[in-house]
Amino acid sequence: MTSAEIETPTTGKYTQPTGLFIDNEFRESIDGKTFDVINPSTEKVITSVHEATEKDVDEAVAAARRAFEGEWHDVTPEDRGRLLLKLADLIEKHLNTLAAIEALDNGKALSLAKADVGMAARTIRYYAGWADKIEGRVIDTDNDRFNYTRQEPLGVCGQIIPWNFPLLMWSWKVAPAVATGNTVVIKSAEQTPLSALYASQLIKEAGFPPGVVNTISGFGKVAGAAISSHMDVDKVAFTGSTFVGRQIMKAAANSNLKKVTLELGGKSPNIVFDDADIDNAISWVNFGVFYNHGQVCCAGSRVYVQEGIYDEFVERFKARTKANKVGDPFETDTFQGPQVSQLQFDRIMGYIDEGKKSGAKVEVGGERHGTEGYFIEPTIFSNVTEDMKIVKEEIFGPVCSISKFSSAEDAIRLGNATTYGLAAAVHTTDLKTAIGVSNGLKAGTVWVNTYNTLHHQLPFGGFKESGMGRELGEAALANYTQIKTVSIRLGDALFGGSVQGTSENWAEDWAKDWAKERAKDWAKDWAKERAKDWANDSAND
């Protein structure tokens, strides 16, 4: 079986693909292995999907290689763009089903899931527009040569995506890779494989040749590791934790030295100045911390508030946080659903317990929400120090710390006091402060008077231990292309004729010619220097 009948509160019953999508067909795993997908709201099994092992990765990579060197190679850039446009239209057509799937296996609020699906479609459409605009350059060096560069695809791209934005990350990875002429083997997160599998059937419907996009479900230690170390994968792109990112870099280096891009963790500062519009700042800080249940790599979980408004801000932020509706993701007014899994729930609760033990004050939350599902109360800690684990380490849940700062210089120092550098925010009504602090923060994205407002046209990626390379925007195209230089000689042969046939002693002739030219150059230079000396002597006389 490679499909299952599933029911959601908003779609009723629908057919969910559960196989591995390879060569435009859903198939069972070679070893016949499957694993369960859990509904984090109820802790019950939704369905089972086929689990990819190293053998299945080999099959998927082989399919991608055949497509890259075969039919896909002959598809024009314009037609690549057309196929991506069709895919974007189909994703929008299936928006309600895809959003319901994400609310089901990820637990995100349905309203936010719908926004994610819309963003995924717009991302794909954006890169469809780039497909026929990836160009080289002509470089003029001299009259005897015609030189140009080509932007060529890398080949087979392995891609590994996380569970916090399943379909959106699928689009971020697949769209630029395909637009630039590559083929893809993409592994979804084992917690949330369903939306990627559902979207993959739209790949075939859009008209993509077999093997261009292959989507597999599996575990990181098996399928992810196989992709990272595969000798016929030309590039690996990963979004996830910094720890796993290091392992992927090692695997890439120890195999075929494949190219790597990494979008990793963060511990982002959310800085509020005395002159900020406090209502606006509280709204965006709340969204920056608790959006997507706090399971966001760029979450603004280190909140710093200037001394003059700190007390007022804390009280009003607490009130705003208490107003966040935590509950069933299918209810229209829900803002925060459950954490994605039991493992993630336990990890976050462990950090909350650590914060309490270390002396931090729980201003709001700090407990489980309800008795069923992986729900956690949105939590604010105050009375924190910079060496506490809850301030230093990425929690990846609805938890933040809040503390004071005195000046812009102090804010920059505190903001940069981390090994991460993915994002940051500055809330102020002073343009000079906004620009000065933004320039001083070591982060790949700095938002001013907003948070988490990513856009498909804007590059996104990290400084320091938050990764390498950029997602989104024109910058992402560089992740999937390589530059070839072509230099064509238009003048005579280097030695005045063909190397063979004009002179048996061509090397000797060339050496004599070279010596003559150097002697001429030396004589000219000597004459110039002597003329300068004569002129100087005459002036002194």
Side-chain angles (χ1 to χ4, degrees):
M1 294 279 296
T2 58
S3 66
E5 291 296 312
I6 293 177
E7 187 172 1
T8 78
T10 57
T11 64
K13 289 185 178 180
Y14 79 96
T15 301
Q16 171 65 52
T18 58
L20 307 176
F21 185 74
I22 299 173
D23 255 342
N24 272 9
E25 300 293 340
F26 288 99
R27 60 175 71 173
E28 296 181 358
S29 60
I30 292 173
D31 290 342
K33 289 185 175 182
T34 62
F35 63 91
D36 291 339
V37 181
I38 306 298
N39 181 340
S41 297
T42 64
E43 306 179 45
K44 293 181 173 62
V45 175
I46 301 169
T47 189
S48 297
V49 299
H50 284 271
E51 178 189 342
T53 64
E54 294 91 342
K55 299 173 188 176
D56 301 293
V57 170
D58 286 343
E59 290 287 310
V61 171
R65 180 62 63 189
R66 285 193 300 272
F68 180 73
E69 296 181 355
E71 185 176 356
W72 189 238
H73 181 269
D74 296 326
V75 175
T76 65
E78 182 181 3
D79 286 339
R80 292 201 302 264
R82 286 188 179 132
L83 290 168
L84 284 166
L85 287 173
K86 289 180 185 177
L87 178 60
D89 291 343
L90 286 169
I91 284 177
E92 286 184 335
K93 181 180 177 181
H94 292 258
L95 183 147
N96 289 331
T97 301
L98 284 162
I101 292 170
E102 300 230 322
L104 191 67
D105 74 350
N106 173 276
K108 67 176 62 196
L110 184 63
S111 58
L112 298 179
K114 287 181 177 180
D116 282 3
V117 177
M119 290 171 64
R122 290 192 293 275
T123 298
I124 293 168
R125 190 170 287 118
Y126 171 76
Y127 284 108
W130 269 111
D132 60 358
K133 300 171 186 66
I134 299 162
E135 302 165 341
R137 296 174 56 204
V138 172
I139 301 172
D140 187 6
T141 58
D142 53 64
N143 292 333
D144 289 338
R145 282 184 289 177
F146 176 66
N147 312 291
Y148 65 92
T149 60
R150 287 170 47 86
Q151 297 276 359
E152 296 191 352
L154 298 174
V156 176
C157 297
Q159 301 176 323
I160 304 169
I161 55 176
W163 43 258
N164 56 338
F165 293 95
L167 185 67
L168 189 58
M169 294 297 102
W170 186 86
S171 71
W172 281 24
K173 294 288 190 290
V174 169
V178 169
T180 48
N182 299 279
T183 57
V184 167
V185 176
I186 185 165
K187 188 197 85 67
S188 59
E190 58 267 26
Q191 299 88 344
T192 56
L194 300 183
S195 58
L197 291 174
Y198 190 93
S200 293
Q201 67 187 342
L202 306 180
I203 290 283
K204 184 176 182 178
E205 186 176 345
F208 283 88
V212 174
V213 177
N214 305 274
T215 302
I216 60 174
S217 311
F219 293 86
K221 290 183 178 179
V222 179
I227 290 171
S228 302
S229 60
H230 204 287
M231 293 299 292
D232 202 28
V233 170
D234 301 298
K235 185 255 169 54
V236 62
F238 170 75
T239 296
S241 72
T242 299
F243 174 80
V244 176
R246 294 182 194 276
Q247 304 308 308
I248 286 173
M249 284 193 72
K250 290 178 183 177
N254 291 334
S255 53
N256 58 345
L257 208 63
K258 58 179 63 68
K259 294 174 174 59
V260 178
T261 54
L262 304 170
E263 196 262 280
L264 305 177
K267 191 70 176 177
S268 302
N270 219 336
I271 300 167
V272 185
F273 281 86
D274 284 343
D275 66 348
D277 179 327
I278 195 164
D279 291 327
N280 184 73
I282 287 170
S283 175
W284 284 112
V285 169
N286 179 74
F287 190 72
V289 175
F290 301 118
Y291 167 61
N292 205 51
H293 349 173
Q295 296 172 153
V296 184
C297 52
C298 55
S301 57
R302 290 189 297 140
V303 183
Y304 296 104
V305 182
Q306 200 163 15
E307 295 167 334
I309 62 167
Y310 178 82
D311 292 337
E312 179 187 2
F313 187 94
V314 169
E315 291 306 310
R316 293 178 64 177
F317 183 34
K318 286 164 59 177
R320 178 65 186 84
T321 300
K322 290 177 182 178
N324 292 338
K325 171 68 183 300
V326 181
D328 183 349
F330 285 96
E331 293 183 3
T332 56
D333 59 345
T334 294
F335 176 70
Q336 181 185 317
Q339 310 312 128
V340 76
S341 67
Q342 181 73 58
L343 180 66
Q344 189 64 12
F345 174 89
D346 292 341
R347 183 175 182 272
I348 296 165
M349 291 305 300
Y351 273 108
I352 290 174
D353 290 343
E354 172 67 27
K356 293 174 181 178
K357 291 175 183 176
S358 63
K361 178 184 177 183
V362 178
E363 295 284 353
V364 168
E367 302 294 339
R368 176 176 188 151
H369 177 86
T371 58
E372 181 184 58
Y374 310 127
F375 296 91
I376 295 176
E377 294 177 349
T379 301
I380 302 172
F381 279 106
S382 65
N383 192 36
V384 297
T385 58
E386 292 300 304
D387 60 348
M388 289 182 179
K389 287 181 70 174
I390 59 170
V391 178
K392 292 173 61 178
E393 298 181 12
E394 184 178 35
I395 298 174
F396 222 67
V399 181
C400 73
S401 62
I402 188 166
S403 53
K404 299 178 184 179
F405 72 91
S406 58
S407 63
E409 293 74 19
D410 193 29
I412 293 170
R413 178 186 62 80
L414 290 167
N416 290 336
T418 175
T419 59
Y420 296 110
L422 189 54
V426 180
H427 303 272
T428 179
T429 54
D430 185 276
L431 183 61
K432 183 178 179 181
T433 299
I435 294 174
V437 176
S438 297
N439 290 348
L441 291 168
K442 296 176 181 177
T445 295
V446 180
W447 288 293
V448 177
N449 297 327
T450 184
Y451 209 100
N452 278 334
T453 46
L454 286 83
H455 192 278
H456 52 263
Q457 291 177 253
L458 302 177
F460 180 74
F463 287 12
K464 299 189 281 187
E465 292 183 18
S466 288
M468 58 179 63
R470 290 294 179 269
E471 308 269 15
L472 302 180
E474 182 183 359
L477 300 171
N479 296 339
Y480 295 101
T481 58
Q482 53 194 347
I483 297 175
K484 175 183 286 181
T485 298
V486 179
S487 184
I488 303 171
R489 182 163 176 80
L490 304 176
D492 293 335
L494 180 61
F495 306 113
S498 63
V499 172
Q500 295 181 351
T502 56
S503 173
E504 294 181 359
N505 298 314
W506 62 268
E508 183 179 341
D509 294 342
W510 176 83
K512 289 178 180 178
D513 290 341
W514 183 87
K516 287 179 182 178
E517 291 300 319
R518 298 293 74 74
K520 288 180 183 178
D521 292 341
W522 178 82
K524 288 178 182 177
D525 292 341
W526 184 86
K528 285 180 182 178
E529 291 300 321
R530 298 293 74 73
K532 287 181 184 177
D533 292 342
W534 177 83
N536 290 335
D537 291 343
S538 298
N540 291 333
D541 291 342

